[in-house]
Amino acid sequence: EDLRGHEDAPALAGRSPTYMVRQMSDMKIGARKGPALGKMKDIIPKLSEQDIVNVAAYTASLPP
């Protein structure tokens, strides 16, 4: 809920926007796979490149 991670989900708040864009782009093209993707595997394919940049900017703006 607060993007600070839980159970097997990593914290996203305060991460570098470059890191976030790279990770989400890799998920979208299938370079990142596996059970760790969780709910993201259903969401990422629906995001445009601009959506990915917007998400990365938002999560980077949050306190870690």
Side-chain angles (χ1 to χ4, degrees):
E1 182 176 310
D2 60 5
L3 301 177
R4 287 181 175 79
H6 62 72
E7 298 172 16
D8 63 344
L12 301 177
R15 293 268 186 161
S16 157
T18 304
Y19 171 83
M20 293 297 296
V21 167
R22 186 176 64 244
Q23 296 302 312
M24 289 187 283
S25 295
D26 283 353
M27 288 178 209
K28 187 167 182 162
I29 65 170
R32 266 188 79 117
K33 300 178 183 181
L37 294 180
K39 295 178 184 178
M40 294 298 289
K41 68 181 177 188
D42 298 327
I43 297 167
I44 289 289
K46 299 173 186 173
L47 298 179
S48 69
E49 287 184 29
Q50 187 61 54
D51 292 334
I52 289 173
V53 169
N54 292 342
V55 169
Y58 172 71
T59 57
S61 74
L62 300 173

